[in-house]
Amino acid sequence: MKKMYRRWLLVALVADLCVIGWLSIRSIAEQVPDTMLTYVGKEEELFSGLPLTVKQDKSVETLNFAGKEKATLKSEKKGKYSVDVKLFGVFPLKSVDVKVVDEVYLAPSGEPIGIYVETNGLLVLGTASVEGKDGMLYDPATNIVKSGDYILKMNGKAVKTIKEFNEAIQKAGNEKMVIRIRRNDQETNVSIKPVEVKDGSSKLGIWVREDTQGIGTMTYVSESGAFGALGHGITDADTGTLMNLSGGELFNTEILDIIKGQRGMPGELEGYINMVADNCIGTIKNNTSLGIFGQLSTEYRKSEEMNYMPICLKQDIREGKAMILSNIEGEVNEYGIEVEEIKRNSTDNKGMVIHVTDEKLLKLTGGIVQGMSGSPIIQDGKIIGAVTHVLVNDPTRGYGIFIENMLNHGN
């Protein structure tokens, strides 16, 4: 019996060691990026402190590796390459895609911006019942259109405004309408019959929205005048849908008030957007999940002092002290933060967990508030990313996006 017990104990011990080993290997693999950028002519130390070795395909001669104690990479030529990473020089761990590029310089901003965007079609918020002139309730659009759809045409005619939407319905009367919608990037036609109501007008029972506006923070300006902002996309407040835009504009804005963040209740920057032509500073070209991107006007660029600095690649970002740039006091100021966690394989806008430590900022805002999204994060004189989200249960903490992730979407 004792012999059987020892045998089972040995099996359990071996199983535990295997699980611990597997978890350790998985932990190491998560610290190695799936993709990485490096600069032409720069010697890049790889995977410092990890028991890893790298090997390139013999046919690739532009990547040079040196050092047995630590691996360093250097290339004198731009290009895309793949290197194999092994644990202890024996066990294959993963293949890393390396992209060699020229060094990138950007001017960090931190300025508040007023955002006005035009949707590509009318965004459907939802459907509702309609009381007909006979007193009965009807659901003409239920299960035909749904929240997040875009209405493009009605009876063959493009509709861009709520006014045009309503005019098309009244023109149709109680005859079936052919409505062109876009759903998940696919366009299709649907048929809906309006309901005549007691006042003699017709209704479809569809709630729609056209344009939207809001306040955010500009992250960076490139040497060509291209900008990136927010670090996340513009989504509809009611549906959470990433808005499909036909265009948009940036405006100078003024912060009027600050609602401090509290546990369970995010704060907010309140501002005024004067949407007149003279106040327009740029155009929005793309709305993506990792930010909004476009081009600043020549006049605005001439009026602003641009201080360019290099970006920090994600493998060089470290946990520890950093700062954010934000204009919440009438001018852009630096506020201290800590980078608490780095998720190097993140492809979304939550690659870093950050913690606001600056006493002045905590007194003013309580931490991270809505409207600060896009505030650039600086570490060791380089742009590492931007603020994107606040943790609702702890407004002193939030997420940041890697600057190279923003650039990948902005280019």
Side-chain angles (χ1 to χ4, degrees):
M1 190 71 178
K2 287 183 179 180
K3 192 173 181 180
M4 181 69 73
Y5 175 76
R6 289 195 191 101
R7 187 174 296 170
W8 278 109
L9 191 63
L10 180 61
V11 170
L13 179 60
V14 170
D16 286 343
L17 290 174
C18 289
V19 170
I20 292 171
W22 179 79
L23 291 174
S24 298
I25 293 172
R26 183 178 177 183
S27 176
I28 292 172
E30 288 176 350
Q31 295 180 60
V32 177
D34 297 326
T35 62
M36 62 179 287
L37 292 180
T38 187
Y39 296 134
V40 173
K42 178 188 176 184
E43 187 171 82
E44 184 83 46
E45 183 177 339
L46 303 176
F47 325 131
S48 177
L50 298 176
L52 303 172
T53 60
V54 292
K55 184 180 180 182
Q56 68 184 87
D57 191 300
K58 291 181 180 179
S59 64
V60 179
E61 298 178 352
T62 58
L63 293 183
N64 302 308
F65 295 97
K68 295 182 179 179
E69 298 299 323
K70 61 181 181 181
T72 59
L73 174 154
K74 185 177 180 181
S75 175
E76 300 296 340
K77 185 179 180 181
K78 291 192 294 184
K80 295 181 180 180
Y81 312 99
S82 181
V83 297
D84 294 324
V85 181
K86 291 186 177 182
L87 185 62
F88 302 113
V90 178
F91 306 106
L93 190 69
K94 66 165 59 175
S95 181
V96 178
D97 292 324
V98 178
K99 186 177 181 181
V100 183
V101 298
D102 290 325
E103 194 162 8
V104 178
Y105 286 81
L106 301 171
S109 176
E111 291 286 1
I113 48 174
I115 301 166
Y116 170 78
V117 292
E118 302 168 351
T119 58
N120 186 9
L122 296 177
L123 175 64
V124 175
L125 302 179
T127 59
S129 298
V130 177
E131 184 179 350
K133 66 178 182 179
D134 58 2
M136 301 289 288
L137 289 178
Y138 297 89
D139 297 288
T142 301
N143 299 322
I144 299 176
V145 298
K146 65 179 184 178
S147 172
D149 289 348
Y150 280 88
I151 294 176
L152 307 177
K153 294 181 179 180
M154 302 177 76
N155 284 342
K157 185 177 180 180
V159 289
K160 297 181 179 180
T161 67
I162 293 175
K163 181 182 178 182
E164 292 174 346
F165 173 77
N166 286 325
E167 287 175 348
I169 297 172
Q170 303 317 311
K171 185 176 181 180
N174 61 356
E175 298 294 326
K176 269 193 175 183
M177 303 184 70
V178 177
I179 300 177
R180 185 76 172 175
I181 66 169
R182 183 178 58 252
R183 178 180 297 168
N184 299 327
D185 297 324
Q186 298 292 322
E187 293 187 13
T188 188
N189 289 329
V190 297
S191 295
I192 305 177
K193 184 179 180 180
V195 174
E196 188 177 354
V197 298
K198 290 182 179 179
D199 65 5
S201 64
S202 299
K203 292 186 177 180
L204 283 181
I206 303 176
W207 295 103
V208 296
R209 175 174 289 155
E210 44 180 307
D211 303 335
T212 191
Q213 62 188 54
I215 290 175
T217 300
M218 191 184 305
T219 305
Y220 68 81
V221 182
S222 75
E223 293 176 294
S224 65
F227 75 83
L230 300 186
H232 59 69
I234 299 173
T235 57
D236 181 75
D238 295 301
T239 67
T241 303
L242 183 69
M243 300 190 74
N244 192 301
L245 307 182
S246 62
E249 297 173 318
L250 289 190
F251 293 87
N252 279 317
T253 191
E254 180 184 355
I255 301 302
L256 301 177
D257 194 16
I258 301 170
I259 301 174
K260 290 184 67 173
Q262 303 176 37
R263 187 178 294 273
M265 187 178 297
E268 183 179 1
L269 299 180
E270 294 186 336
Y272 170 68
I273 309 172
N274 186 12
M275 290 191 296
V276 296
D278 290 345
N279 207 29
C280 181
I281 62 173
T283 56
I284 300 170
K285 296 182 178 179
N286 294 309
N287 177 37
T288 78
S289 61
L290 301 188
I292 62 171
F293 305 93
Q295 187 73 26
L296 293 178
S297 67
T298 303
E299 292 77 12
Y300 177 78
R301 292 167 58 196
K302 287 180 178 178
S303 68
E304 297 292 314
E305 183 179 350
M306 302 290 181
N307 297 311
Y308 293 92
M309 62 175 61
I311 70 166
C312 184
L313 303 178
K314 60 186 176 182
Q315 67 266 22
D316 297 326
I317 300 171
R318 59 178 178 80
E319 294 180 359
K321 293 182 183 296
M323 64 182 180
I324 62 174
L325 303 181
S326 191
N327 182 345
I328 56 176
E329 302 178 82
E331 61 181 0
V332 175
N333 288 315
E334 301 173 354
Y335 301 101
I337 65 167
E338 290 276 334
V339 178
E340 293 189 331
E341 185 180 351
I342 304 168
K343 304 174 183 179
R344 301 193 195 281
N345 282 319
S346 168
T347 57
D348 59 17
N349 51 24
K350 296 181 179 180
M352 296 175 282
V353 176
I354 60 174
H355 180 204
V356 175
T357 56
D358 192 285
E359 291 298 329
K360 186 177 183 181
L361 184 59
L362 291 172
K363 187 176 180 179
L364 285 168
T365 65
I368 300 168
V369 296
Q370 295 176 21
M372 287 175 62
S373 293
S375 298
I377 305 173
I378 311 297
Q379 187 179 70
D380 301 328
K382 296 181 178 181
I383 307 174
I384 67 173
V387 177
T388 57
H389 296 82
V390 60
L391 298 182
V392 176
N393 292 325
D394 183 0
T396 69
R397 287 180 167 83
Y399 292 105
I401 182 175
F402 297 132
I403 190 65
E404 63 181 81
N405 285 5
M406 281 190 77
L407 289 172
N408 284 340
H409 267 55
N411 292 338

